[in-house]
Amino acid sequence: MRDAITSLIKNYDVTGRYLDRDAIDNLKSYFQTGTVRVQAAGIINANAAELVKQAGIRLFADLPELIRPGGNAYTTRRYAACLRDMDYYLRYASYALVAGNTDVLDERVLQGLRETYNSLGVPIGPTVVGIQILKEMVREKITEAGIQPGDWVDQPFDHISRELSERDI
């Protein structure tokens, strides 16, 4: 697992280049948002159970067919599995948020996820909707805490959604 710094340095090292203006600007951005990224992770940690619970409520309100007989979250076991997965995405998104890099998502979450979901008959579309709901709720919590959320908040959630969606289309 790499963070934004090690990824940037690795890319420049592989090509044998010195850090240029773009690299320096990326490093500045990483350090300028460092404190708020760590604070955001603390907010996620302190509110994780409530975020997952409320995201589940919103998801099933938007897509009630999931919890009806025959739906993919019908039965207590499947409903619990859905919430467990949402918690998993939230936790790993918080790691990526702190790292300023999505490598942890690729290594620990996304490798084989689509194939696993397809083999189990788990629909990707509602999963992506749930991830986007989590993103919105995290942005709301961060804003309530007096932190101005930037693109750095969206990046991990959008990365998961994009990787699942592009591979499933």
Side-chain angles (χ1 to χ4, degrees), residues 66-129:
L66 293 172
I67 55 175
R68 293 186 184 131
N72 207 56
Y74 181 68
T75 74
T76 304
R77 183 181 60 81
R78 286 181 168 186
Y79 185 92
C82 179
L83 295 182
R84 177 206 61 212
D85 287 357
M86 290 178 84
D87 184 63
Y88 184 71
Y89 302 134
L90 182 62
R91 181 167 47 96
Y92 275 97
S94 74
Y95 298 164
L97 191 69
V98 170
N101 186 292
T102 59
D103 284 348
V104 68
L105 300 173
D106 295 331
E107 294 171 12
R108 306 282 170 90
V109 177
L110 295 168
Q111 283 184 358
L113 180 62
R114 185 181 59 84
E115 292 80 8
T116 300
Y117 273 9
N118 284 337
S119 71
L120 296 172
V122 176
I124 299 293
T127 302
V128 170
V129 171

Short mmCIF file of all heavy atoms in Angstrom, two decimals, residues 66-129:
data_model
loop_
_atom_site.label_atom_id
_atom_site.label_comp_id
_atom_site.label_asym_id
_atom_site.label_seq_id
_atom_site.Cartn_x
_atom_site.Cartn_y
_atom_site.Cartn_z
N LEU A 66 -35.01 -4.04 -3.17
CA LEU A 66 -33.91 -4.83 -2.63
C LEU A 66 -34.31 -5.60 -1.37
O LEU A 66 -33.77 -6.68 -1.11
CB LEU A 66 -32.70 -3.94 -2.32
CG LEU A 66 -32.00 -3.31 -3.51
CD1 LEU A 66 -30.96 -2.30 -3.03
CD2 LEU A 66 -31.34 -4.39 -4.36
N ILE A 67 -35.24 -5.04 -0.59
CA ILE A 67 -35.60 -5.69 0.68
C ILE A 67 -36.94 -6.42 0.61
O ILE A 67 -37.39 -6.98 1.60
CB ILE A 67 -35.60 -4.68 1.86
CG1 ILE A 67 -36.50 -3.48 1.58
CG2 ILE A 67 -34.17 -4.25 2.16
CD1 ILE A 67 -36.63 -2.52 2.75
N ARG A 68 -37.55 -6.42 -0.56
CA ARG A 68 -38.78 -7.19 -0.76
C ARG A 68 -38.43 -8.65 -1.05
O ARG A 68 -37.32 -8.95 -1.45
CB ARG A 68 -39.58 -6.60 -1.92
CG ARG A 68 -40.12 -5.22 -1.62
CD ARG A 68 -41.03 -4.73 -2.74
NE ARG A 68 -41.44 -3.37 -2.46
CZ ARG A 68 -41.38 -2.38 -3.32
NH1 ARG A 68 -40.98 -2.58 -4.56
NH2 ARG A 68 -41.77 -1.17 -2.98
N PRO A 69 -39.38 -9.55 -0.88
CA PRO A 69 -39.11 -10.95 -1.20
C PRO A 69 -38.53 -11.08 -2.62
O PRO A 69 -39.04 -10.50 -3.57
CB PRO A 69 -40.48 -11.62 -1.10
CG PRO A 69 -41.21 -10.79 -0.08
CD PRO A 69 -40.75 -9.37 -0.35
N GLY A 70 -37.43 -11.81 -2.71
CA GLY A 70 -36.75 -11.97 -3.99
C GLY A 70 -35.66 -10.94 -4.22
O GLY A 70 -34.84 -11.09 -5.12
N GLY A 71 -35.66 -9.87 -3.42
CA GLY A 71 -34.64 -8.84 -3.56
C GLY A 71 -33.31 -9.30 -2.98
O GLY A 71 -33.26 -10.22 -2.17
N ASN A 72 -32.26 -8.66 -3.40
CA ASN A 72 -30.94 -9.12 -3.00
C ASN A 72 -30.62 -8.87 -1.52
O ASN A 72 -29.73 -9.50 -0.98
CB ASN A 72 -29.86 -8.48 -3.87
CG ASN A 72 -28.66 -9.37 -3.95
OD1 ASN A 72 -28.77 -10.53 -4.33
ND2 ASN A 72 -27.51 -8.87 -3.53
N ALA A 73 -31.35 -7.98 -0.86
CA ALA A 73 -31.13 -7.75 0.57
C ALA A 73 -32.30 -8.30 1.40
O ALA A 73 -32.46 -7.95 2.55
CB ALA A 73 -30.94 -6.26 0.85
N TYR A 74 -33.10 -9.16 0.76
CA TYR A 74 -34.22 -9.78 1.47
C TYR A 74 -33.66 -10.90 2.35
O TYR A 74 -32.80 -11.65 1.92
CB TYR A 74 -35.25 -10.33 0.49
CG TYR A 74 -36.44 -10.98 1.14
CD1 TYR A 74 -37.35 -10.22 1.85
CD2 TYR A 74 -36.63 -12.35 1.05
CE1 TYR A 74 -38.45 -10.81 2.45
CE2 TYR A 74 -37.72 -12.95 1.64
CZ TYR A 74 -38.63 -12.18 2.35
OH TYR A 74 -39.71 -12.76 2.95
N THR A 75 -34.09 -10.99 3.49
CA THR A 75 -33.70 -11.85 4.62
C THR A 75 -32.71 -11.08 5.47
O THR A 75 -31.94 -10.23 4.99
CB THR A 75 -33.08 -13.23 4.25
OG1 THR A 75 -31.77 -13.06 3.76
CG2 THR A 75 -33.96 -14.00 3.28
N THR A 76 -32.73 -11.37 6.73
CA THR A 76 -31.86 -10.70 7.69
C THR A 76 -30.39 -10.90 7.36
O THR A 76 -29.58 -9.99 7.47
CB THR A 76 -32.16 -11.21 9.12
OG1 THR A 76 -33.54 -11.02 9.38
CG2 THR A 76 -31.34 -10.48 10.15
N ARG A 77 -30.04 -12.10 6.92
CA ARG A 77 -28.65 -12.41 6.61
C ARG A 77 -28.14 -11.55 5.46
O ARG A 77 -27.05 -10.98 5.52
CB ARG A 77 -28.51 -13.90 6.26
CG ARG A 77 -27.09 -14.34 5.99
CD ARG A 77 -27.00 -15.82 5.62
NE ARG A 77 -27.76 -16.16 4.43
CZ ARG A 77 -27.34 -15.97 3.19
NH1 ARG A 77 -26.18 -15.41 2.96
NH2 ARG A 77 -28.09 -16.33 2.16
N ARG A 78 -28.92 -11.43 4.40
CA ARG A 78 -28.50 -10.62 3.25
C ARG A 78 -28.49 -9.13 3.58
O ARG A 78 -27.61 -8.40 3.13
CB ARG A 78 -29.42 -10.89 2.06
CG ARG A 78 -29.18 -12.22 1.41
CD ARG A 78 -30.10 -12.39 0.24
NE ARG A 78 -29.71 -13.53 -0.57
CZ ARG A 78 -30.29 -13.82 -1.70
NH1 ARG A 78 -31.26 -13.08 -2.18
NH2 ARG A 78 -29.89 -14.88 -2.38
N TYR A 79 -29.46 -8.69 4.35
CA TYR A 79 -29.51 -7.29 4.77
C TYR A 79 -28.25 -6.96 5.58
O TYR A 79 -27.59 -5.95 5.34
CB TYR A 79 -30.77 -7.06 5.61
CG TYR A 79 -31.02 -5.63 6.00
CD1 TYR A 79 -31.80 -4.81 5.21
CD2 TYR A 79 -30.50 -5.10 7.19
CE1 TYR A 79 -32.05 -3.49 5.57
CE2 TYR A 79 -30.75 -3.79 7.55
CZ TYR A 79 -31.52 -2.99 6.74
OH TYR A 79 -31.76 -1.69 7.10
N ALA A 80 -27.91 -7.83 6.52
CA ALA A 80 -26.72 -7.63 7.34
C ALA A 80 -25.45 -7.65 6.49
O ALA A 80 -24.52 -6.88 6.73
CB ALA A 80 -26.65 -8.70 8.44
N ALA A 81 -25.41 -8.52 5.49
CA ALA A 81 -24.25 -8.58 4.60
C ALA A 81 -24.09 -7.29 3.82
O ALA A 81 -22.96 -6.81 3.61
CB ALA A 81 -24.36 -9.77 3.65
N CYS A 82 -25.19 -6.70 3.42
CA CYS A 82 -25.15 -5.43 2.69
C CYS A 82 -24.56 -4.33 3.58
O CYS A 82 -23.68 -3.58 3.17
CB CYS A 82 -26.55 -5.04 2.21
SG CYS A 82 -26.60 -3.48 1.33
N LEU A 83 -25.04 -4.25 4.82
CA LEU A 83 -24.53 -3.25 5.75
C LEU A 83 -23.06 -3.51 6.09
O LEU A 83 -22.27 -2.58 6.20
CB LEU A 83 -25.37 -3.19 7.01
CG LEU A 83 -26.82 -2.73 6.83
CD1 LEU A 83 -27.53 -2.68 8.17
CD2 LEU A 83 -26.90 -1.39 6.12
N ARG A 84 -22.70 -4.78 6.21
CA ARG A 84 -21.30 -5.14 6.47
C ARG A 84 -20.42 -4.64 5.33
O ARG A 84 -19.36 -4.06 5.56
CB ARG A 84 -21.17 -6.66 6.60
CG ARG A 84 -19.73 -7.13 6.79
CD ARG A 84 -19.51 -8.54 6.31
NE ARG A 84 -19.81 -8.65 4.89
CZ ARG A 84 -20.30 -9.73 4.31
NH1 ARG A 84 -20.59 -10.80 5.03
NH2 ARG A 84 -20.53 -9.75 3.01
N ASP A 85 -20.86 -4.84 4.08
CA ASP A 85 -20.08 -4.39 2.93
C ASP A 85 -19.99 -2.86 2.89
O ASP A 85 -18.92 -2.32 2.58
CB ASP A 85 -20.68 -4.91 1.63
CG ASP A 85 -20.45 -6.40 1.43
OD1 ASP A 85 -19.78 -7.03 2.28
OD2 ASP A 85 -20.96 -6.95 0.43
N MET A 86 -21.06 -2.18 3.23
CA MET A 86 -21.02 -0.71 3.25
C MET A 86 -20.00 -0.23 4.29
O MET A 86 -19.27 0.73 4.06
CB MET A 86 -22.41 -0.14 3.52
CG MET A 86 -23.37 -0.32 2.35
SD MET A 86 -25.01 0.30 2.68
CE MET A 86 -24.79 2.02 2.27
N ASP A 87 -19.97 -0.90 5.44
CA ASP A 87 -18.99 -0.56 6.46
C ASP A 87 -17.57 -0.79 5.95
O ASP A 87 -16.67 0.01 6.19
CB ASP A 87 -19.25 -1.38 7.73
CG ASP A 87 -18.32 -0.99 8.86
OD1 ASP A 87 -18.39 0.16 9.32
OD2 ASP A 87 -17.53 -1.85 9.28
N TYR A 88 -17.39 -1.86 5.24
CA TYR A 88 -16.10 -2.20 4.65
C TYR A 88 -15.65 -1.10 3.68
O TYR A 88 -14.51 -0.64 3.73
CB TYR A 88 -16.28 -3.55 3.95
CG TYR A 88 -15.07 -4.18 3.34
CD1 TYR A 88 -14.06 -4.72 4.12
CD2 TYR A 88 -14.97 -4.31 1.95
CE1 TYR A 88 -12.97 -5.35 3.55
CE2 TYR A 88 -13.89 -4.95 1.37
CZ TYR A 88 -12.88 -5.46 2.18
OH TYR A 88 -11.81 -6.08 1.61
N TYR A 89 -16.54 -0.67 2.79
CA TYR A 89 -16.20 0.40 1.84
C TYR A 89 -15.87 1.70 2.58
O TYR A 89 -14.93 2.41 2.21
CB TYR A 89 -17.35 0.66 0.86
CG TYR A 89 -17.75 -0.54 0.06
CD1 TYR A 89 -19.09 -0.86 -0.10
CD2 TYR A 89 -16.81 -1.36 -0.52
CE1 TYR A 89 -19.47 -1.98 -0.83
CE2 TYR A 89 -17.18 -2.47 -1.25
CZ TYR A 89 -18.52 -2.78 -1.39
OH TYR A 89 -18.89 -3.88 -2.11
N LEU A 90 -16.64 2.01 3.59
CA LEU A 90 -16.41 3.24 4.35
C LEU A 90 -15.04 3.21 5.03
O LEU A 90 -14.29 4.18 5.00
CB LEU A 90 -17.53 3.45 5.37
CG LEU A 90 -17.44 4.71 6.22
CD1 LEU A 90 -17.53 5.96 5.34
CD2 LEU A 90 -18.55 4.71 7.27
N ARG A 91 -14.72 2.09 5.65
CA ARG A 91 -13.44 1.96 6.36
C ARG A 91 -12.27 2.12 5.39
O ARG A 91 -11.35 2.90 5.63
CB ARG A 91 -13.37 0.61 7.06
CG ARG A 91 -12.07 0.40 7.83
CD ARG A 91 -12.15 -0.78 8.77
NE ARG A 91 -12.69 -1.97 8.17
CZ ARG A 91 -11.95 -2.95 7.65
NH1 ARG A 91 -10.64 -2.86 7.64
NH2 ARG A 91 -12.53 -4.04 7.17
N TYR A 92 -12.32 1.41 4.28
CA TYR A 92 -11.22 1.51 3.32
C TYR A 92 -11.18 2.87 2.63
O TYR A 92 -10.10 3.38 2.30
CB TYR A 92 -11.25 0.36 2.31
CG TYR A 92 -10.55 -0.85 2.87
CD1 TYR A 92 -11.27 -1.87 3.46
CD2 TYR A 92 -9.16 -0.94 2.84
CE1 TYR A 92 -10.62 -2.97 4.01
CE2 TYR A 92 -8.50 -2.04 3.38
CZ TYR A 92 -9.24 -3.05 3.97
OH TYR A 92 -8.59 -4.13 4.51
N ALA A 93 -12.33 3.50 2.43
CA ALA A 93 -12.33 4.86 1.87
C ALA A 93 -11.64 5.81 2.84
O ALA A 93 -10.92 6.72 2.41
CB ALA A 93 -13.76 5.32 1.60
N SER A 94 -11.81 5.60 4.15
CA SER A 94 -11.14 6.46 5.12
C SER A 94 -9.63 6.25 5.08
O SER A 94 -8.87 7.21 5.24
CB SER A 94 -11.69 6.24 6.54
OG SER A 94 -11.26 5.03 7.10
N TYR A 95 -9.17 5.02 4.84
CA TYR A 95 -7.74 4.78 4.70
C TYR A 95 -7.20 5.53 3.48
O TYR A 95 -6.15 6.16 3.54
CB TYR A 95 -7.43 3.29 4.51
CG TYR A 95 -7.81 2.36 5.62
CD1 TYR A 95 -7.88 0.99 5.39
CD2 TYR A 95 -8.10 2.80 6.92
CE1 TYR A 95 -8.21 0.10 6.40
CE2 TYR A 95 -8.45 1.91 7.93
CZ TYR A 95 -8.50 0.56 7.66
OH TYR A 95 -8.83 -0.33 8.65
N ALA A 96 -7.92 5.42 2.36
CA ALA A 96 -7.49 6.09 1.13
C ALA A 96 -7.52 7.61 1.31
O ALA A 96 -6.67 8.31 0.76
CB ALA A 96 -8.38 5.67 -0.04
N LEU A 97 -8.47 8.09 2.07
CA LEU A 97 -8.58 9.52 2.34
C LEU A 97 -7.33 10.02 3.05
O LEU A 97 -6.75 11.03 2.66
CB LEU A 97 -9.83 9.76 3.20
CG LEU A 97 -10.30 11.16 3.40
CD1 LEU A 97 -10.85 11.72 2.11
CD2 LEU A 97 -11.38 11.17 4.47
N VAL A 98 -6.89 9.30 4.07
CA VAL A 98 -5.69 9.69 4.81
C VAL A 98 -4.45 9.58 3.92
O VAL A 98 -3.60 10.46 3.93
CB VAL A 98 -5.53 8.84 6.09
CG1 VAL A 98 -4.17 9.07 6.74
CG2 VAL A 98 -6.64 9.15 7.07
N ALA A 99 -4.36 8.51 3.15
CA ALA A 99 -3.19 8.29 2.29
C ALA A 99 -3.14 9.27 1.12
O ALA A 99 -2.08 9.48 0.54
CB ALA A 99 -3.19 6.86 1.75
N GLY A 100 -4.29 9.85 0.77
CA GLY A 100 -4.33 10.71 -0.40
C GLY A 100 -4.08 9.94 -1.67
O GLY A 100 -3.58 10.47 -2.66
N ASN A 101 -4.45 8.64 -1.65
CA ASN A 101 -4.12 7.74 -2.74
C ASN A 101 -5.11 6.58 -2.71
O ASN A 101 -5.50 6.13 -1.64
CB ASN A 101 -2.69 7.23 -2.53
CG ASN A 101 -2.18 6.40 -3.66
OD1 ASN A 101 -2.67 5.30 -3.87
ND2 ASN A 101 -1.19 6.89 -4.37
N THR A 102 -5.47 6.09 -3.88
CA THR A 102 -6.47 5.00 -3.95
C THR A 102 -5.86 3.61 -4.08
O THR A 102 -6.58 2.64 -4.24
CB THR A 102 -7.43 5.25 -5.13
OG1 THR A 102 -6.67 5.30 -6.34
CG2 THR A 102 -8.24 6.52 -4.94
N ASP A 103 -4.55 3.49 -3.96
CA ASP A 103 -3.91 2.17 -4.09
C ASP A 103 -4.48 1.15 -3.12
O ASP A 103 -4.66 -0.02 -3.47
CB ASP A 103 -2.40 2.27 -3.90
CG ASP A 103 -1.69 2.85 -5.11
OD1 ASP A 103 -2.33 2.97 -6.18
OD2 ASP A 103 -0.50 3.19 -4.99
N VAL A 104 -4.76 1.57 -1.89
CA VAL A 104 -5.29 0.63 -0.90
C VAL A 104 -6.64 0.07 -1.36
O VAL A 104 -6.95 -1.09 -1.10
CB VAL A 104 -5.40 1.27 0.50
CG1 VAL A 104 -6.45 2.37 0.54
CG2 VAL A 104 -5.69 0.22 1.56
N LEU A 105 -7.41 0.87 -2.06
CA LEU A 105 -8.70 0.40 -2.57
C LEU A 105 -8.50 -0.65 -3.65
O LEU A 105 -9.20 -1.66 -3.69
CB LEU A 105 -9.51 1.57 -3.11
CG LEU A 105 -9.85 2.67 -2.11
CD1 LEU A 105 -10.51 3.85 -2.81
CD2 LEU A 105 -10.72 2.13 -0.99
N ASP A 106 -7.54 -0.40 -4.53
CA ASP A 106 -7.26 -1.36 -5.59
C ASP A 106 -6.75 -2.69 -5.01
O ASP A 106 -7.19 -3.75 -5.42
CB ASP A 106 -6.23 -0.80 -6.58
CG ASP A 106 -6.74 0.41 -7.33
OD1 ASP A 106 -7.97 0.50 -7.55
OD2 ASP A 106 -5.93 1.28 -7.68
N GLU A 107 -5.85 -2.58 -4.04
CA GLU A 107 -5.22 -3.78 -3.47
C GLU A 107 -6.14 -4.56 -2.55
O GLU A 107 -6.13 -5.79 -2.57
CB GLU A 107 -3.98 -3.37 -2.68
CG GLU A 107 -2.87 -2.80 -3.53
CD GLU A 107 -1.75 -2.21 -2.69
OE1 GLU A 107 -1.72 -2.43 -1.46
OE2 GLU A 107 -0.92 -1.49 -3.26
N ARG A 108 -6.93 -3.86 -1.73
CA ARG A 108 -7.67 -4.54 -0.67
C ARG A 108 -9.16 -4.66 -0.90
O ARG A 108 -9.83 -5.44 -0.23
CB ARG A 108 -7.44 -3.82 0.66
CG ARG A 108 -6.01 -3.63 1.04
CD ARG A 108 -5.41 -4.91 1.58
NE ARG A 108 -3.98 -4.83 1.73
CZ ARG A 108 -3.34 -4.42 2.81
NH1 ARG A 108 -4.03 -4.01 3.84
NH2 ARG A 108 -2.04 -4.40 2.83
N VAL A 109 -9.70 -3.87 -1.80
CA VAL A 109 -11.14 -3.87 -2.00
C VAL A 109 -11.53 -4.32 -3.41
O VAL A 109 -12.36 -5.21 -3.57
CB VAL A 109 -11.75 -2.46 -1.74
CG1 VAL A 109 -13.24 -2.44 -2.00
CG2 VAL A 109 -11.45 -2.01 -0.32
N LEU A 110 -10.95 -3.73 -4.40
CA LEU A 110 -11.45 -3.89 -5.76
C LEU A 110 -10.96 -5.14 -6.48
O LEU A 110 -11.65 -5.63 -7.37
CB LEU A 110 -11.12 -2.64 -6.58
CG LEU A 110 -11.85 -1.39 -6.08
CD1 LEU A 110 -11.27 -0.14 -6.72
CD2 LEU A 110 -13.33 -1.49 -6.31
N GLN A 111 -9.81 -5.67 -6.11
CA GLN A 111 -9.31 -6.87 -6.79
C GLN A 111 -10.28 -8.02 -6.56
O GLN A 111 -10.46 -8.48 -5.45
CB GLN A 111 -7.93 -7.25 -6.28
CG GLN A 111 -6.82 -6.41 -6.82
CD GLN A 111 -5.45 -6.90 -6.36
OE1 GLN A 111 -5.32 -7.84 -5.60
NE2 GLN A 111 -4.43 -6.21 -6.82
N GLY A 112 -10.92 -8.43 -7.61
CA GLY A 112 -11.82 -9.57 -7.54
C GLY A 112 -13.21 -9.29 -7.00
O GLY A 112 -14.04 -10.18 -6.95
N LEU A 113 -13.48 -8.04 -6.61
CA LEU A 113 -14.78 -7.73 -6.02
C LEU A 113 -15.92 -7.92 -7.02
O LEU A 113 -16.93 -8.55 -6.70
CB LEU A 113 -14.81 -6.31 -5.48
CG LEU A 113 -16.12 -5.86 -4.83
CD1 LEU A 113 -16.43 -6.73 -3.61
CD2 LEU A 113 -16.05 -4.40 -4.43
N ARG A 114 -15.75 -7.39 -8.21
CA ARG A 114 -16.82 -7.52 -9.21
C ARG A 114 -17.09 -8.99 -9.51
O ARG A 114 -18.25 -9.41 -9.57
CB ARG A 114 -16.45 -6.76 -10.49
CG ARG A 114 -17.57 -6.77 -11.53
CD ARG A 114 -17.17 -6.04 -12.80
NE ARG A 114 -16.01 -6.60 -13.44
CZ ARG A 114 -16.05 -7.64 -14.28
NH1 ARG A 114 -17.20 -8.19 -14.58
NH2 ARG A 114 -14.95 -8.10 -14.83
N GLU A 115 -16.04 -9.77 -9.65
CA GLU A 115 -16.20 -11.19 -9.94
C GLU A 115 -16.90 -11.90 -8.79
O GLU A 115 -17.76 -12.76 -9.01
CB GLU A 115 -14.83 -11.84 -10.21
CG GLU A 115 -14.17 -11.38 -11.50
CD GLU A 115 -13.47 -10.02 -11.38
OE1 GLU A 115 -13.34 -9.49 -10.25
OE2 GLU A 115 -13.07 -9.49 -12.42
N THR A 116 -16.54 -11.55 -7.57
CA THR A 116 -17.18 -12.15 -6.40
C THR A 116 -18.66 -11.79 -6.37
O THR A 116 -19.52 -12.67 -6.18
CB THR A 116 -16.50 -11.66 -5.10
OG1 THR A 116 -15.13 -12.05 -5.15
CG2 THR A 116 -17.17 -12.24 -3.87
N TYR A 117 -18.97 -10.51 -6.57
CA TYR A 117 -20.37 -10.09 -6.57
C TYR A 117 -21.16 -10.78 -7.68
O TYR A 117 -22.27 -11.23 -7.47
CB TYR A 117 -20.47 -8.57 -6.70
CG TYR A 117 -20.39 -7.84 -5.39
CD1 TYR A 117 -20.05 -8.47 -4.20
CD2 TYR A 117 -20.65 -6.48 -5.33
CE1 TYR A 117 -19.97 -7.78 -3.01
CE2 TYR A 117 -20.57 -5.78 -4.13
CZ TYR A 117 -20.24 -6.44 -2.98
OH TYR A 117 -20.18 -5.76 -1.80
N ASN A 118 -20.57 -10.85 -8.86
CA ASN A 118 -21.26 -11.51 -9.98
C ASN A 118 -21.51 -12.99 -9.67
O ASN A 118 -22.58 -13.51 -9.97
CB ASN A 118 -20.47 -11.36 -11.28
CG ASN A 118 -20.60 -9.97 -11.87
OD1 ASN A 118 -21.56 -9.25 -11.60
ND2 ASN A 118 -19.63 -9.59 -12.67
N SER A 119 -20.54 -13.66 -9.08
CA SER A 119 -20.72 -15.08 -8.78
C SER A 119 -21.78 -15.31 -7.71
O SER A 119 -22.43 -16.35 -7.68
CB SER A 119 -19.39 -15.72 -8.36
OG SER A 119 -19.01 -15.28 -7.07
N LEU A 120 -21.96 -14.33 -6.82
CA LEU A 120 -22.96 -14.43 -5.77
C LEU A 120 -24.31 -13.84 -6.18
O LEU A 120 -25.27 -13.90 -5.42
CB LEU A 120 -22.47 -13.73 -4.49
CG LEU A 120 -21.24 -14.33 -3.83
CD1 LEU A 120 -20.75 -13.43 -2.70
CD2 LEU A 120 -21.53 -15.73 -3.32
N GLY A 121 -24.36 -13.24 -7.36
CA GLY A 121 -25.60 -12.62 -7.83
C GLY A 121 -25.90 -11.28 -7.17
O GLY A 121 -27.04 -10.85 -7.12
N VAL A 122 -24.87 -10.62 -6.65
CA VAL A 122 -25.04 -9.31 -6.02
C VAL A 122 -25.02 -8.26 -7.12
O VAL A 122 -24.04 -8.15 -7.86
CB VAL A 122 -23.92 -9.03 -4.99
CG1 VAL A 122 -24.05 -7.62 -4.41
CG2 VAL A 122 -23.94 -10.08 -3.89
N PRO A 123 -26.08 -7.46 -7.24
CA PRO A 123 -26.11 -6.44 -8.30
C PRO A 123 -25.14 -5.29 -8.01
O PRO A 123 -25.07 -4.80 -6.89
CB PRO A 123 -27.55 -5.96 -8.30
CG PRO A 123 -28.07 -6.27 -6.93
CD PRO A 123 -27.31 -7.48 -6.45
N ILE A 124 -24.40 -4.89 -9.02
CA ILE A 124 -23.40 -3.83 -8.88
C ILE A 124 -24.07 -2.45 -8.76
O ILE A 124 -23.62 -1.62 -7.98
CB ILE A 124 -22.42 -3.86 -10.07
CG1 ILE A 124 -21.69 -5.19 -10.15
CG2 ILE A 124 -21.44 -2.69 -10.00
CD1 ILE A 124 -20.74 -5.49 -9.03
N GLY A 125 -25.14 -2.22 -9.52
CA GLY A 125 -25.78 -0.90 -9.52
C GLY A 125 -26.16 -0.41 -8.13
O GLY A 125 -25.77 0.70 -7.73
N PRO A 126 -26.91 -1.19 -7.35
CA PRO A 126 -27.25 -0.74 -6.00
C PRO A 126 -26.03 -0.57 -5.10
O PRO A 126 -26.02 0.28 -4.21
CB PRO A 126 -28.16 -1.85 -5.47
CG PRO A 126 -28.75 -2.46 -6.69
CD PRO A 126 -27.66 -2.38 -7.73
N THR A 127 -25.00 -1.35 -5.33
CA THR A 127 -23.75 -1.20 -4.56
C THR A 127 -23.17 0.18 -4.81
O THR A 127 -22.78 0.88 -3.87
CB THR A 127 -22.73 -2.30 -4.95
OG1 THR A 127 -23.32 -3.58 -4.71
CG2 THR A 127 -21.46 -2.16 -4.16
N VAL A 128 -23.13 0.58 -6.07
CA VAL A 128 -22.59 1.89 -6.43
C VAL A 128 -23.48 2.99 -5.84
O VAL A 128 -22.97 3.99 -5.31
CB VAL A 128 -22.46 2.03 -7.96
CG1 VAL A 128 -22.13 3.46 -8.37
CG2 VAL A 128 -21.39 1.06 -8.47
N VAL A 129 -24.78 2.82 -5.88
CA VAL A 129 -25.69 3.81 -5.27
C VAL A 129 -25.38 3.94 -3.78
O VAL A 129 -25.29 5.04 -3.25
CB VAL A 129 -27.17 3.42 -5.50
CG1 VAL A 129 -28.11 4.31 -4.69
CG2 VAL A 129 -27.52 3.49 -6.98
#
